[in-house]
Amino acid sequence: MTDRMLVATRKGLISFVRKNGGWSIARTDFPGVAVTAALYDKRDGTLYAMLKHGHFGSKLHRSDDEGRSWAELPAPAFAPDAAGAPALFQVWTLEAGGADEPGRLWAGALPAGLFFSDNRGETWQQVSALWNVPERAKWFGGGYDDAGIHTIAPDPRDSARVFVGISCGGVWETRDSGGSWSLLGDGLIATYMPPEQAGVRESQDPHRVARCAAAPDTMWMQHHNGIFHSTDAGATWSQLKLPGDDFGFAVAAHPKDPRTAWFIPGIKDELRVPRDGALAVTRTRDGGKTWDRLTDGLPQKDAYDLVYRHGLDVDDTGTQLAMGSTTGSLWVSDNAGDGWQLLNAHLPPIYAVRLY
Amino acid sequence: MAEVHFTSWLRQVVPDGPLRAEGATVGDALGALFSERPHVRGYVLDEQGRLRKHVCIFADGVRLPHQVALGHGIRRESTLYVMQALSGG
């Protein structure tokens, strides 16, 4: 079971450790600065943090000594072009490349640029083939002014095959490390579009996609309009019907069991809060046929907690979970979500949690 | 040479300000300064070379309009302040 956790918040990077069975804050780095993404690279033990200074832009910091010291590196940057290239607003997700690609990192941004580094973040290149797909003309912002990339999921069987999720720009796959891209997503439905365009793949808003590490063709999606499931690596999707709310942002996939996933429901998009103030996690353990509503240890009245896209994580065993809310509450579960323990209710708004 | 002050928010980036820089415009002076300290550039300008949206510049006591700030002419004895615009939060 994991015993460390990165919590990326509106006011800094807060690192938790578990000792003698209890979690506590070990360090706070970058106090006062928004940390929009954080990564522990288990291939070499490096920590990365993407900062967003309100005034001075997004910055990348790296630590080679478990957070005791950090160095600033160049952040991903949009290539100039004649049409007027954008500036990086924030990095929304930071992911490690495959086990056979030491030093390879992927960064997904707002606006929806995809970037990679092959030297542990020392230098970055934009993936121009995705930026130049003609469908990008139909992408639009979901919650932000511009479309953005929030999900990057390399296939553990083939590092050149990478799945990407864009709000709002659908789901995409490359099989050649970014050189060319295919638009996936048959079966997704967008009810915020005129009815005849509800199935247009490049207009979909996949809030977040999680991939089963042991069965990478299995993916779970929290979409703006519900929960979808794919067993062919994102090519086709089926909408799953839940007894309760199916709106939300976060999803976690069990790393070993392709039938198990977790979601955090809220009332659909006009409200985005837990129904009746009662926070719950929904879990399926049979591929989406039936669902458990897990509430033990979670507030059941007056809760306004919303868990953002990267605010839910599961460890490599599938038993330890963590989630952090926009209200600054942080919970962990040691039993796959059956029960939850509140670690802190007074943190800054939480953007991302990562167990390691 | 113009004297360039930076907001205290950037004290970790420019710990030894104010700095001195040569240039006929704000952009020229900042460019000269960035050539000596390349890591400061990304805090003031975006990757396309535009003044960041929530950075504002005062020249000789006058807050410069954002769109024309970099092209604003300055004198050898001008005093510049690079500040955070409160629009940025």
Side-chain angles (χ1 to χ4, degrees), chain A residues 10 51 53-59 61 72 76-81 84-89 115 145, chain B residues 7 9-10 13 39 42-48 50 52-55 82-89:
Chain A
R10 174 70 181 79
L51 278 50
H53 295 270
H55 309 84
F56 309 115
S58 288
K59 313 296 176 193
H61 291 251
E72 185 179 341
F78 282 92
D81 67 33
L88 178 68
F89 179 68
F115 302 86
D145 288 351
Chain B
T7 168
W9 286 31
L10 287 176
V13 181
H39 68 287
Y43 284 81
V44 180
L45 308 181
D46 68 26
E47 62 259 51
Q48 311 306 336
R50 298 174 295 230
R52 287 201 176 277
K53 183 177 180 182
H54 300 300
V55 170
V82 177
M83 308 298 283
Q84 74 277 19
L86 297 189
S87 55

Side-chain angles (χ1 to χ4, degrees), chain B residues 25-86:
Chain B
T25 65
V26 169
D28 289 347
L30 290 176
L33 196 153
F34 299 151
S35 66
E36 290 175 18
R37 301 177 184 227
H39 68 287
V40 181
R41 186 179 197 276
Y43 284 81
V44 180
L45 308 181
D46 68 26
E47 62 259 51
Q48 311 306 336
R50 298 174 295 230
L51 185 64
R52 287 201 176 277
K53 183 177 180 182
H54 300 300
V55 170
C56 67
I57 295 178
F58 290 77
D60 301 316
V62 176
R63 178 176 171 145
L64 304 178
H66 192 269
Q67 295 298 333
V68 298
L70 296 180
H72 181 81
I74 55 172
R75 296 168 290 117
R76 288 180 63 85
E77 62 274 21
S78 284
T79 302
L80 306 182
Y81 279 84
V82 177
M83 308 298 283
Q84 74 277 19
L86 297 189

